[in-house]
Amino acid sequence: MGLPRALSAFALLLVACSTETTTLTPRGTPGTSDPTSADTEDPPAEEAAPQGSTPTPSTTEPTAPAPGGTLAAGDTTVNKTVAGLARTARVHVPSSITQKKLPVVVALHGNGDTAQNFVATSGLLGFADSVGFVLIAPQGIARAISVGGQTTPPLSWDAYNARAQNADVQLVDALLDEVVASGSVDPKHLVVYGYSQGGYLSVRYGREASAKLSCAAVIAAGDAGGVPTAFARKLPFSIQIGSMDSARNNAASLAQSLQNAGHPVDFHEIAGAGHSPFPGSPKVPLEDCLARSLP
C-alpha cells in the first residue's frame, strides 16, 4: 500500500480534531474519523484528549524475581528517552512471574487517551493477573507527524513512517528488548495490542517486527497504509471491529488480504457496535493472541 491519501484531506481531519468534544466514558474515548475502506488510508483522528487524565500509575513494592530472571512482580513506571523524546510506560508484572516465564503484551491506547485510562477501562490489569502475562502500557505523545512531506493533525502514535523516522516503533522495540533481556519472560510469546490509533500502530509494528512477535491484536482499527514494510513471517492477527465503525471496511479488507497472504487471522465483527465504547470484549483479541506462540 502507498502512503496515506490523507495528504489531500488533512483540512477535514483538522476540523474534526478541533471541533470534537469528548468526555471519558466507562469503556474508552470516542472516535470520529477512521479510514472507511481499504481505499481510504487517511491517518485517523479518532479520540479527543481526555481532560484531567494524566498517567499516574501506582507503584507497588516488587517481590522476588522469577527463577533465572531479574523481573520482579509489581507495578512500576519506566522512563526512557527514545529518538530524542522522553517517554514513560506502565509495567505490570503478575505474581506468577515467580513461577514461570510469562508472555508479554504491549498495550497501545487510542488517540488522545492515556495509558492509565486504557488499562483501567479495558480491564487489562486483572486480565494480566488472571491469565498471567507481563503488561507494558506506554504513553503516546500527541504530535503532528510528517507523512509523505505533509503534516497530520496531532496523533498519539505514528503508524506510518519507517523505523528510522518512527519514534513509536523505536519505543516499542526498546521496551520489548529490555523486558526480554530480563530473562523473566517467554521470548516466543510477545504480543502487540492496540485500540483505535493504537490499533493502527499495532498493525504497523506487526509488519516491522513480525520476526519476533507471536501475534498482533487490533481493536477498532485496520491498516493505515504508510510504508509497506514486508512481513518477515506469516504473523498471526486477531482483529475486532464494530459493524458500525467507520473503519469496518478497512479492517475487513486487512483481514482478507492477510488471509490471502497466508497469515492466521481471527476476525471478530461485533454487530451493531461502533467505534466507542469498545466493540465487544477488549479481552477477546488478546485471548486469541495469547493462545499463539512463535514456532
Side-chain angles (χ1 to χ4, degrees):
M1 299 179 72
L3 285 170
R5 271 181 257 150
L7 312 175
S8 62
F10 283 160
L12 293 177
L13 287 169
L14 286 167
V15 169
C17 286
S18 62
T19 58
E20 184 181 37
T21 301
T22 304
T23 56
L24 289 178
T25 64
R27 297 295 297 276
T29 43
T32 61
S33 177
D34 278 323
T36 56
S37 71
D39 295 325
T40 305
E41 300 174 356
D42 297 355
E46 60 285 303
E47 302 92 358
Q51 299 299 310
S53 180
T54 56
T56 54
S58 60
T59 301
T60 58
E61 190 68 26
T63 61
T70 60
L71 204 61
D75 283 276
T76 58
T77 298
V78 172
N79 297 284
K80 304 184 78 67
T81 298
V82 178
L85 296 175
R87 309 300 296 263
T88 63
R90 180 177 186 177
V91 179
H92 177 74
V93 182
S95 59
S96 53
I97 195 73
T98 61
Q99 304 163 20
K100 60 180 180 179
K101 296 183 186 295
L102 298 180
V104 179
V105 173
V106 177
L108 305 168
H109 62 76
N111 201 49
D113 200 1
T114 66
Q116 182 182 352
N117 184 64
F118 180 45
V119 166
T121 57
S122 59
L124 285 176
L125 286 182
F127 194 46
D129 287 334
S130 63
V131 174
F133 61 84
V134 174
L135 173 65
I136 304 175
Q139 178 60 45
I141 299 177
R143 64 204 188 277
I145 296 168
S146 177
V147 185
Q150 297 194 42
T151 304
T152 70
L155 296 173
S156 294
W157 304 111
D158 183 354
Y160 315 100
N161 287 302
R163 181 194 298 269
Q165 294 81 40
N166 195 316
D168 295 320
V169 167
Q170 293 179 45
L171 172 65
V172 178
D173 270 345
L175 291 169
L176 282 176
D177 288 349
E178 184 171 318
V179 75
V180 169
S182 73
S184 299
V185 302
D186 181 356
K188 292 189 174 184
H189 228 147
L190 309 179
V191 177
V192 62
Y193 164 77
Y195 167 67
S196 198
Q197 184 67 15
Y200 288 99
L201 179 57
S202 183
V203 175
R204 174 74 189 88
Y205 189 76
R207 289 183 180 278
E208 194 72 46
S210 58
K212 67 181 178 184
L213 291 178
S214 58
C215 188
V218 182
I219 299 181
D223 191 349
V227 179
T229 306
F231 287 97
R233 59 180 286 268
K234 304 300 184 185
L235 178 69
F237 276 79
S238 181
I239 302 169
Q240 186 161 301
I241 192 88
S243 64
M244 304 301 292
D245 194 318
S246 63
R248 183 268 169 200
N249 290 344
N250 181 298
S253 178
L254 170 64
Q256 189 62 60
S257 65
L258 289 168
Q259 286 180 327
N260 291 346
H263 294 254
V265 177
D266 294 294
F267 183 76
H268 306 280
E269 182 172 335
I270 310 302
H275 188 79
S276 177
F278 297 123
S281 169
K283 300 173 185 176
V284 170
L286 264 185
E287 290 173 337
D288 292 340
C289 275
L290 289 169
R292 300 183 184 274
S293 63
L294 277 169

